[in-house]
Amino acid sequence: MKIIKILLTAMMAISLTAHAAPDVKIGLVLPFSGVFTSLGNDTENGFRLGIEKFANGTNVKIIKADSEGNPAIGLSKTKKIVFQDKVDVMSGIVSSAVLGAVRDTLHNSKTPMVVANAGNIHATGKDCSPYIVRVSFSNAQITRPMGDWMAKQGIKTAYVMAPDYAAGHQMINAFREEFEKGGGKVIGEVYPPLQGVTDYSSYLAVAKASEAESMFVFFPGSAAINFVKQYHDFGIAKDVPLYAAGFLTSPSYVQVQGKAADGIISSLHYLLDLPYEENTKFKQAYESRYNKPASEFSVAGYDAARLVMEAWNKADGDKEAFVKNLSNTSFKGPRSKLSIDPKTHNVVQNIYILKNRWDGEQIVQELIETYEDRKDAANGCQL
Ligand code: BEZ
C-alpha cells in the first residue's frame, strides 16, 4: 500500500512538471536602469501584453535581464541567456550599441532575435543575419523623413545634436543626407556623452551662437526630459525652433516635459492618436493594465511579442520554420500595416511627422504628414 502511494505521488509530480514545462523560452534583454529605464519598462509592458494576446494557449516562459543600456553588460547577460538558459528566441534590446555588441553571439549561436527597439542600421545592413529580425525601426528610417520634410518647408540651415554613440550618429547622418539633398545645410554639430550629462546649457549656447535657423536633435529617455526642459528654459524656441527624432517627446514622458515640449515637431513610427481600431484597442488594454499611456516603446514590444508567437505557433515545433516565419510576415497593428522586408529583415512601415501642442492642460500630439511604407535600402545586407 505504502509503495503504491509513493508511486502515485511520484507519477503526479512528473505529470505536474511536464505540464509546467514551457513550450517556448524567451530571453528579454532590456535596460531597467540608466538613461533608458523608462524605455525598458515600456517595452517589457508591451511585450507581456502581446504575449497574453497572441500566445494562443502556448505556454511561455520569459527570462529577463537588465542590460543597463551598456554594451559589455548587455553582452554578458545575453551570453548567459543564450548558453545557460538556452532560450528558443530572444527579444528586447533598446540601445544600438548593445545590439552591435550582441550581434555576433546571436548570429554564431543561431539564436533567433526579434529586436524591439534598437535602430542600429548595421544590424539590418552590412551586419544583417538570418537570425535577426527587427520589428521596431532603423535609425535612418526615422530621421530621413524629417530631413526631407524640413527642407520642403524651406528651412535652409540646421544645428544638430545627439548623444555620442551609434544611434546618435546614425540618426544625424541620415537626417543630414536627406536635408541637404533637399537644399538645406547642417552648419554645426555636437555630440554630448549619452550617460551622465544633466546640464545641456553650454551645448545650447553654442547652438544659438551658430545662428542656425533651426535645431534638429535626437535624445532618448531621461536625457530627452532634461534636454527639452533646458531648451525651454534657455528661451531660444522663438529664434531656433526645435525639430527631432520623435523619441525626444515620447508619450512615455512628454507630459513630464509639459509646456516645454510645446511646438516641437518630430518624426516617429507611432502616435497615440492614430485612428486605427487596432490602436484604440491596444491603447485601452495598455492603459487599463499599467495605468499610464502607451508609447512607441510599448507598441514595438507588443508587436515583437506578436511576431514571436505567431511565427512560433505556425512552426509547429520546427525551429527552422520558426526562423523563416519571423521574416515572412505582415500584419496590421496599432501603428498601421507593417511587414518584415525579406531582403534586410528590417520592418517596412509608415513614419509620421507630428507636432506637440500645449492645449492649456497637457501636450497633444498632432499628425501633420505620413511618409508611407518606408523601406530601407539593403546597405550591404545579403540575405
Ligand atoms: C537606439 O540606441 O537605437 C535608440 C535608443 C532609444 C531610442 C531610439 C533608438
Side-chain angles (χ1 to χ4, degrees), residues 195-215:
Q195 308 266 9
V197 180
T198 50
D199 183 356
Y200 292 96
S201 53
S202 58
Y203 301 105
L204 286 163
V206 177
K208 185 167 187 229
S210 76
E211 296 190 353
E213 213 182 302
S214 67
M215 201 184 323

Side-chain angles (χ1 to χ4, degrees), residues 36 39 94-96 117-119 137 139 165 167 171 218 220 247 297:
F36 295 126
L39 288 64
V94 160
S95 159
S96 282
N117 186 74
F137 58 88
N139 294 325
Y165 82 113
M171 297 251 187
F218 159 65
F247 311 101
F297 310 112

Side-chain angles (χ1 to χ4, degrees), residues 49 53-54 270-287 294 298-299 302-303 306 310 330-338 352:
L49 202 61
K53 176 124 173 85
F54 299 105
Y270 180 64
L271 239 100
L272 269 182
D273 286 340
L274 288 176
Y276 312 118
E277 198 190 335
E278 292 80 357
N279 189 36
T280 309
K281 285 191 183 149
F282 165 71
K283 274 193 321 186
Q284 280 167 356
Y286 191 90
E287 275 183 44
S298 47
V299 153
Y302 183 77
D303 285 342
R306 176 175 185 169
E310 289 185 348
S330 65
F331 57 80
K332 190 166 182 202
R335 54 185 145 151
S336 185
K337 58 189 182 322
L338 59 79
Y352 305 101

Side-chain angles (χ1 to χ4, degrees), residues 6 12 46 48 88 123 131-132 143 148 215 223 261 303 338:
I6 291 169
M12 265 171 68
R48 288 191 185 274
D88 298 294
Y131 304 99
I132 299 175
T143 59
D148 178 74
M215 201 184 323
D303 285 342
L338 59 79

Side-chain angles (χ1 to χ4, degrees), residues 348-363:
V348 180
Q349 64 182 334
N350 292 347
I351 300 296
Y352 305 101
I353 308 287
L354 64 107
K355 179 168 185 169
N356 291 277
R357 187 175 60 77
W358 179 251
D359 74 355
E361 281 178 9
Q362 59 171 356
I363 288 287

Side-chain angles (χ1 to χ4, degrees), residues 42-362:
D42 280 16
T43 310
E44 180 186 0
N45 289 345
F47 193 84
R48 288 191 185 274
L49 202 61
I51 292 293
E52 277 171 36
K53 176 124 173 85
F54 299 105
N56 214 7
T58 298
N59 183 5
V60 177
K61 178 170 185 185
I62 295 175
I63 300 169
K64 69 173 191 172
D66 180 7
S67 70
E68 300 175 32
N70 175 310
I73 295 169
L75 177 58
S76 76
K77 299 280 174 76
T78 297
K79 282 185 173 166
K80 184 243 168 206
I81 278 182
V82 167
F83 299 117
Q84 201 171 311
D85 299 319
K86 299 193 182 342
V87 293
D88 298 294
V89 54
M90 281 199 48
S91 190
I93 311 285
V94 160
S95 159
S96 282
V98 174
L99 182 55
V102 302
R103 184 267 174 205
D104 285 354
T105 298
L106 298 171
H107 178 77
N108 294 334
S109 64
K110 302 189 174 174
T111 305
M113 154 64 92
V114 177
V115 180
N117 186 74
N120 194 327
I121 55 171
H122 302 311
T124 50
K126 72 178 175 58
D127 299 330
C128 67
S129 158
Y131 304 99
I132 299 175
V133 167
R134 178 163 47 211
V135 78
S136 47
F137 58 88
S138 82
N139 294 325
Q141 192 179 33
I142 295 289
T143 59
R144 275 188 206 288
M146 199 70 235
D148 178 74
W149 189 85
M150 282 174 65
K152 285 190 173 134
Q153 308 314 302
I155 298 168
K156 290 280 171 259
T157 57
Y159 190 93
V160 296
M161 210 185 289
D164 188 13
Y165 82 113
H169 290 278
Q170 292 174 9
M171 297 251 187
I172 295 296
N173 288 344
F175 164 80
R176 184 201 319 258
E177 227 174 272
E178 219 60 16
F179 183 55
E180 297 196 339
K181 214 192 278 172
K185 182 101 194 106
V186 170
I187 60 168
E189 58 198 300
V190 68
Y191 300 91
L194 172 64
Q195 308 266 9
V197 180
T198 50
D199 183 356
Y200 292 96
S201 53
S202 58
Y203 301 105
L204 286 163
V206 177
K208 185 167 187 229
S210 76
E211 296 190 353
E213 213 182 302
S214 67
M215 201 184 323
F216 174 81
V217 306
F218 159 65
F219 285 106
S222 56
I225 299 176
N226 287 334
F227 181 85
V228 167
K229 284 186 171 171
Q230 288 166 29
Y231 167 82
H232 177 258
D233 293 347
F234 217 73
I236 54 172
K238 242 188 325 85
D239 303 323
V240 198
L242 186 55
Y243 301 85
F247 311 101
L248 187 74
T249 52
S250 168
S252 186
Y253 37 75
V254 74
Q255 302 307 344
V256 177
Q257 295 164 330
K259 219 174 170 179
D262 187 33
I264 298 172
I265 296 180
S266 65
S267 52
L268 201 59
H269 53 301
Y270 180 64
L271 239 100
L272 269 182
D273 286 340
L274 288 176
Y276 312 118
E277 198 190 335
E278 292 80 357
N279 189 36
T280 309
K281 285 191 183 149
F282 165 71
K283 274 193 321 186
Q284 280 167 356
Y286 191 90
E287 275 183 44
S288 69
R289 168 66 55 87
Y290 300 111
N291 219 5
K292 60 178 181 175
S295 68
E296 67 275 32
F297 310 112
S298 47
V299 153
Y302 183 77
D303 285 342
R306 176 175 185 169
L307 189 52
V308 168
M309 292 319 308
E310 289 185 348
W312 183 268
N313 287 337
K314 244 196 280 167
D316 207 15
D318 178 339
K319 297 228 168 150
E320 271 181 34
F322 171 56
V323 170
K324 283 208 180 99
N325 292 344
L326 285 175
S327 59
N328 185 14
T329 190
S330 65
F331 57 80
K332 190 166 182 202
R335 54 185 145 151
S336 185
K337 58 189 182 322
L338 59 79
S339 59
I340 299 298
D341 181 357
K343 292 211 175 82
T344 62
H345 286 187
N346 193 45
V347 62
V348 180
Q349 64 182 334
N350 292 347
I351 300 296
Y352 305 101
I353 308 287
L354 64 107
K355 179 168 185 169
N356 291 277
R357 187 175 60 77
W358 179 251
D359 74 355
E361 281 178 9
Q362 59 171 356

